């Protein structure tokens, strides 16, 4: 007994030292898990959280490089598997494993098991969102995105491209109108994002007819995008709704609230156009060596024949030569009219327009040649005159 007791004591001390070393290494691993996962694994190879963080870093880096979350997940899959083996409750690893799975049924099983453990992990919710999009379960997808972005609003850059696939579907606007009521910050951000996406423009126009975005920036972006994609008629009907009583084809009104159906005015260094203080004229300022379009807008094409008249009191001959009026059909590069103010007489007559020319763009161009005086003039009005 006298011999056995020291042996047991020695074993206990040794085990205590080993356990202390293991716990110390684990504590160090936990402390380093987020900041330095590689070091954490070296300190404590059984640290599943560190493997999860490496998997997450590989996923994000690969996704950014390839533009494909699926490729990112497949690259990170070995690390995620090791994280799952060591720490079965790691939610990010579940998300990566689900996203890396090509078989829809297996992916759904992984997601169901993961959601039973954790319903708040944003990346896991993002995979759920993608699955709902793939299943065409649009109401559930929108609700999932709403939950994610209310908790993690910073993830909108990652998730909006996924949501666009839902939003662009026929009949999706009713579901979006129910949720996107401005009660969360991400709603306005999504409107601005969608207003620049060609696939979303048809539904954005439909949604705007049903509700206000309460954001002039989004309205302007939507009008510009529709015109850029060639859907000028839809853009014009929205312009009439948005601008209300101020919507007009009177080109002499110098409003620039909603271009391109109001005036788009250039404001660059050395090349500028702005309404006069009275609002009844357009001031044009061009420094020597500068030139280009200073103002343009779209209007419905008048019945032909018609004339474009420019009202002004400019007397300097050089300035008259250096300011041009242009007319072209919307979306076309060929000009129907390009003439300086010297040649105006009683207006620039246009006898006919090409077929299907339903909207025309009227522009003002100005230049100031190097070595000559700057152009500082005022245009009082531009008028469409019936002939």
């Amino acid at each position: 007994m006298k011999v056995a007791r020291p042996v047991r004591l020695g074993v206990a001390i040794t085990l205590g030292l080993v356990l202390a070393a293991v716990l110390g290494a684990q504590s160090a691993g936990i402390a380093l898990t987020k900041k330095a996962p590689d070091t954490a694994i070296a300190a404590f190879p059984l640290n599943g959280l560190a493997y999860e963080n490496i998997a997450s870093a590989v996923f994000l880096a690969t996704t950014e490089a390839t533009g494909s979350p699926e490729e990112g997940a497949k690259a990170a899959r070995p690390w995620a598997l090791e994280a799952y083996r060591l720490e079965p409750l790691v939610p990010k690893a579940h998300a990566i494993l689900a996203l890396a799975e090509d078989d829809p049924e297996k992916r759904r099983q992984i997601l169901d098991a993961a959601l039973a453990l954790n319903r708040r992990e944003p990346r896991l919710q993002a995979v759920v969102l993608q699955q709902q999009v793939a299943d065409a379960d649009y109401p559930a997808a929108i609700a999932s995105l709403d939950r994610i972005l209310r908790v993690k609003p910073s993830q909108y850059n990652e998730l909006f491209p996924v949501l666009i696939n839902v939003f662009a579907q026929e009949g999706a606007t009713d579901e979006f109108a129910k949720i996107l009521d401005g009660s969360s910050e991400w709603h306005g951000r999504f409107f601005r994002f969608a207003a620049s996406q060609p696939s979303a423009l048809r539904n954005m126009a439909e949604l705007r007819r049903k509700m206000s975005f309460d954001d002039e920036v989004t309205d302007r972006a939507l009008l510009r995008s529709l015109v850029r994609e060639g859907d000028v008629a839809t853009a014009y009907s929205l312009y009439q709704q948005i601008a209300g009583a101020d919507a007009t084809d009177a080109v002499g009104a110098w409003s620039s609230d909603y271009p391109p159906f109001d005036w788009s005015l250039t404001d660059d260094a050395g090349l500028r156009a702005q309404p006069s203080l009275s609002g009844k004229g357009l001031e044009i300022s061009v420094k020597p060596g500068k030139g280009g379009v200073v103002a343009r807008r779209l209007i419905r094409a008048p019945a032909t024949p018609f004339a474009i008249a420019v009202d002004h009191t400019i007397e300097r001959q050089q300035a008259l030569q250096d300011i041009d009026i242009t007319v072209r059909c919307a979306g076309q590069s060929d000009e129907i009219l390009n003439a300086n103010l010297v040649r105006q007489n009683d207006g620039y007559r246009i006898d006919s327009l090409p077929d299907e020319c339903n909207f025309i763009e009227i522009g003002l161009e100005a230049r100031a040649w190097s070595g000559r005086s700057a152009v500082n003039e005022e245009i009082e009005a531009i008028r469409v005159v019936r002939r």
Side-chain angles (χ1 to χ4, degrees):
M1 295 295 291
K2 292 182 180 179
V3 175
R5 188 174 299 169
V7 170
R8 285 200 298 270
L9 181 61
V11 170
I13 292 173
T14 301
L15 287 174
L17 291 173
V18 171
L19 181 60
V22 169
L23 291 175
Q26 185 180 30
S27 298
I30 293 172
L32 291 168
T33 291
K34 288 189 176 181
K35 293 183 178 180
D38 288 332
T39 306
I41 289 174
F44 189 67
L46 300 182
N47 187 345
L49 297 179
Y51 277 102
E52 182 190 41
N53 280 336
I54 289 180
S56 182
V58 171
F59 168 76
L60 292 175
T62 307
T63 298
E64 183 176 353
T66 64
S68 169
E70 287 77 10
E71 291 298 319
K74 289 177 180 178
R77 188 174 185 271
W79 298 100
L81 279 173
E82 189 65 16
Y84 175 74
R85 186 181 70 82
L86 297 171
E87 188 71 44
L89 303 184
V90 284
K92 292 179 183 177
H94 282 114
I96 290 170
L97 292 173
L99 197 56
E101 179 56 60
D102 292 326
D103 185 295
E105 185 56 36
K106 289 182 179 179
R107 175 184 288 196
R108 194 173 286 105
Q109 290 174 358
I110 295 172
L111 284 176
D112 289 343
L115 288 173
L117 298 172
N118 188 313
R119 289 185 173 273
R120 294 185 62 82
E121 166 56 39
R123 188 162 297 137
L124 189 60
Q125 289 291 335
V127 180
V128 172
L129 172 64
Q130 283 200 324
Q131 186 63 51
Q132 290 165 336
V133 172
D135 294 341
D137 189 355
Y138 304 135
I142 298 170
S144 291
L145 188 85
D146 191 56
R147 286 195 300 272
I148 296 169
L149 293 180
R150 285 179 185 274
V151 175
K152 289 274 189 177
S154 61
Q155 284 201 300
Y156 65 87
N157 281 333
E158 181 180 341
L159 298 180
F160 281 177
V162 178
L163 188 61
I164 282 294
N165 294 330
V166 182
F167 182 78
Q169 301 299 315
E170 184 175 354
T173 55
D174 287 339
E175 294 297 333
F176 277 81
K178 293 175 185 176
I179 291 180
L180 303 184
D181 56 3
S183 61
S184 186
E185 180 195 359
W186 73 267
H187 296 173
R189 289 183 179 272
F190 176 73
F191 286 142
R192 293 190 183 193
F193 176 81
S196 66
Q197 304 300 307
S199 65
L201 296 180
R202 176 176 56 86
N203 279 1
M204 276 292 285
E206 180 182 338
L207 188 63
R208 185 61 181 85
R209 292 189 186 98
K210 296 178 179 180
M211 61 184 288
S212 172
F213 298 150
D214 295 321
D215 182 14
E216 291 183 358
V217 173
T218 299
D219 286 339
R220 293 189 192 105
L222 178 57
L223 294 176
R224 285 194 302 269
S225 295
L226 285 166
V227 170
R228 185 177 61 247
E229 294 300 313
D231 196 353
V232 184
T234 296
Y236 186 76
S237 67
L238 274 183
Y239 164 70
Q240 290 179 305
Q241 175 186 329
I242 293 168
D246 293 332
T248 176
D249 285 324
V251 290
W254 299 111
S255 170
S256 58
D257 292 339
Y258 295 104
F261 299 105
D262 290 334
W263 285 100
S264 177
L265 304 177
T266 300
D267 186 16
D268 296 334
L271 186 68
R272 180 174 292 107
Q274 61 185 15
S276 62
L277 291 177
S278 67
K280 296 180 179 180
L282 183 71
E283 297 175 349
I284 296 173
S285 175
V286 188
K287 291 184 178 180
K290 298 289 186 177
V293 177
V294 293
R296 59 158 61 103
R297 71 171 291 182
L298 293 176
I299 65 169
R300 286 176 294 186
T304 55
F306 64 93
I308 302 293
V310 183
D311 297 337
H312 64 84
T313 57
I314 301 172
E315 296 180 353
R316 195 163 62 91
Q317 189 71 13
Q318 187 62 57
L320 293 172
Q321 292 176 349
D322 290 344
I323 299 176
D324 297 341
I325 183 79
T326 64
V327 175
R328 58 168 55 89
C329 291
Q332 301 297 316
S333 58
D334 294 339
E335 293 176 329
I336 299 167
L337 170 69
N338 187 330
N340 63 42
L341 299 188
V342 173
R343 298 169 47 194
Q344 177 174 216
N345 298 322
D346 60 346
Y348 306 92
R349 183 182 173 94
I350 296 176
D351 290 316
S352 64
L353 293 172
D355 293 340
E356 299 183 0
C357 182
N358 299 316
F359 292 85
I360 61 172
E361 178 189 276
I362 297 176
L364 279 172
E365 297 180 2
R367 72 195 66 82
W369 299 101
S370 297
R372 295 181 181 173
S373 301
V375 172
N376 291 291
E377 304 291 350
E378 182 172 325
I379 302 296
E380 295 173 0
I382 297 177
R383 295 177 292 115
V384 175
V385 182
R386 309 296 180 182
R387 293 300 192 196

